[in-house]
Amino acid sequence: MSFFSYSTNSAVEKLSCVPLSAARPFPDYSPKNPSIRDSELVQHVSTSIKQRYSEHIRHVLKPFESKIRPDHIIWVLMTVKNDYKLVLDFFDWWCQRRGPSIEVRCILVHISAAQKDARTAHRLIHDFWARPDVTFSFSQFLEKLIYTYKDWGSNPFVFDIFFQVLVELGSLDYGRKLFDKMLHYGLVLSVCSCNLFLSRLSHEIEGHKVMLKAFNEFSEVGVCWDNESHNIMIHSLCRVGKVKEAHNLLLQMELRGCMPDVVSYSTVINGYCATRQLGPVLKIIKEMQVKGLKPNAFTFNSIILLLSKTGKVLDAKKILTEMTSQGIAPDNVVYTTLIDGFCKTGNISAAYRLFNKMQCFNITPDLITYTALISGVCQTGNIAEADKLLNDMLGRGLEPDEFIYTALIDGYCKAGEIRAAFALHNKMVQMQLVPNIVTYTTLVDGLCKQGELDTANELLHEMCGKGLELNIYTYNSLVNGLCKAGDVKQAVQLMEDMEAAGIHPDAFTYTTLMDAYCKFGEMSKAHGLLHQMLLRGLQPTIVTFNVLMNGFCMSGMLEEGDKLLKWMLEKGIIPNATTYNSLMKQYSMRNDMRMTSEIYKGMLGQGVVLNANTFNILIRGHCKARNMKEAWFLHKEMVKKGFTPTLDTYHALIKGFLKRKNYSEAKEMFEETRRDGLLADKELYSIFADMNYDQGNFDLALELCDEAVEKCVAVKTDNRNA
């Protein structure tokens, strides 16, 4: 539960077991006294910020920046603490210059709590403790928080907030120390905070043991546990299998002054259901009925799942009827559980009735629902009905998985239709789902990608030895692996072996080989494979053409690349952005922006959708050619289409504008890189830091220097005094 919902009034409970005389008083606050000169400065500062009207506090305090020391901050806060907004503004101003001391931060926490601004108090503590570079100890922070308590707010909710932050950040040991420390001052943290502590403990390893200890110890010193507290404990006990202990705690709730609710009972019921104990479940349901509590959807779901798993499907169906009669709508999980239960008992007609009923209530069957029903139908040998279900599933846009295919293959085998089973097996292989051959194919592919080609070949022979039909995917994996290993000659031989085995290479096979030839610069062989594909009636994919185009461009054969693009257009093959980008990049690198622009116009004329790489190539090219107007226009278009320029593109734009002395555009680009979270280089940080310094923007100049340091950028600054 969020701490923002906690009531300040409930944050403190006086200890009934600790006499007030035994409670330690909070210390009186006694800061260092200011000198006469310090007092005068504090008065000037306080008066100035109180009378600032609409002027920004930064401007008001500018004359005092070099004079204000950490001690002055506390003295100023003393004079303005009744003006909460002014306190926050003054604190933020100081934080922008240097990190506040623990004492100042604690003072702000107290003031925020006194103003009932829990969010700010929480943020002030959280921001400090979440920092990875915190060097102060827990004891130091708590000491200052206690020391400043009495004169800066005296709101005990402060310690609740500190406790919550520690718990949220996982510092549970410190949280427990804070709880114990507060007892010495006669304070007991709120039950809401303690619930947060219990909840976080429940996620720790062996956390339930620590939870039980804390649950008992906290109640002994005055924490009045509520329903949520007990429900957290019950859930944790059930999760670790201690259902009886959870049930006992449920029974003790009334004795502790808490009335168990539906969540309490449902959690214990689910615990018993998970351990398949039906007797206690029925007993608890009767207890709920006596108390006038109605089971919720979670309760019904748990019981239906238990009954279905234990073979009591008819009883589960009765529970479903009772569930709907109470106006509780079952979900997909409930129906699927019952359908699976009826199928496993051979009652397919009952499963079908539920299958049709769930659709009448607009509950869509999912892959698991179809798996249960297809498995059940196949067990009866009704393969035609199973095929019908498969087609129905496909019509809903659901892709069959290995479980469904396995069920269908099993059904065909049981019906004696072995050929049909193998045909389905081969179809399954094509979709990479078969438990046998697809597993092998996946292993072969993985071995090839790792360069373990000898092992992959051994696995291939093992597959053949088991009588499994090798498919195109298995061979393609091997071809791809050989190409990546640089053994193109062996890859070509394997392709010939494929054909000898009656498996013809496809577009992927040829494209893989073409890519290998292109990377070795053997463009004539790569081009020859394209002709071979066309002669065989294989339609090259756009990936095939892009591989060839990239090969021509990387080999410096731009004329051949132009011819390929022209040929594609003549044949009605529409290139994509990658095709055009390869050409544009090479022409741009040659500083031929005229041809680059011509290709770009052709790209637009074909209606090709531009991608981010298209813009990056064009912008960098125009910047290099000092066509900054064109580069600026393309940048605007790029951002408009939702693309983010790369860091190199930003640098090209910024440096291009600087060379043209277009400082406003350069500055805009620099600020955009900062907004996008991209790092600028040290040269740019230096340029813009100096530029802002020369323009009198000292704060921004310092900010850029600090940012550069934070981002590990070594900025060279002039030896000038700011």
Side-chain angles (χ1 to χ4, degrees), residues 104-160:
V104 170
R105 187 176 291 271
C106 288
I107 288 171
L108 259 291
V109 170
H110 284 302
I111 294 174
S112 298
Q115 293 291 325
K116 302 189 186 314
D117 186 0
R119 287 181 182 274
T120 298
H122 181 277
R123 176 177 57 79
L124 287 165
I125 299 176
H126 184 276
D127 289 353
F128 177 77
W129 280 98
R131 280 166 35 199
D133 60 336
V134 171
T135 57
F136 298 103
S137 69
F138 163 78
S139 299
Q140 286 176 296
F141 190 88
L142 180 57
E143 180 186 355
K144 289 296 182 184
L145 199 63
I146 291 172
Y147 172 66
T148 53
Y149 170 78
K150 196 169 182 180
D151 287 353
W152 287 96
S154 300
N155 188 334
F157 190 44
V158 164
F159 300 104
D160 257 276

Side-chain angles (χ1 to χ4, degrees), residues 420-433:
F422 271 92
L424 190 61
H425 175 273
N426 293 338
K427 185 178 179 181
M428 188 177 179
V429 169
Q430 294 172 6
M431 297 185 70
Q432 300 183 357
L433 292 172

Side-chain angles (χ1 to χ4, degrees), residues 71-87:
D71 288 341
H72 294 124
I73 301 301
I74 296 174
W75 295 326
V76 171
L77 287 173
M78 284 180 175
T79 65
V80 300
K81 67 178 182 180
N82 293 326
D83 188 336
Y84 184 50
K85 185 179 184 307
L86 186 56
V87 167

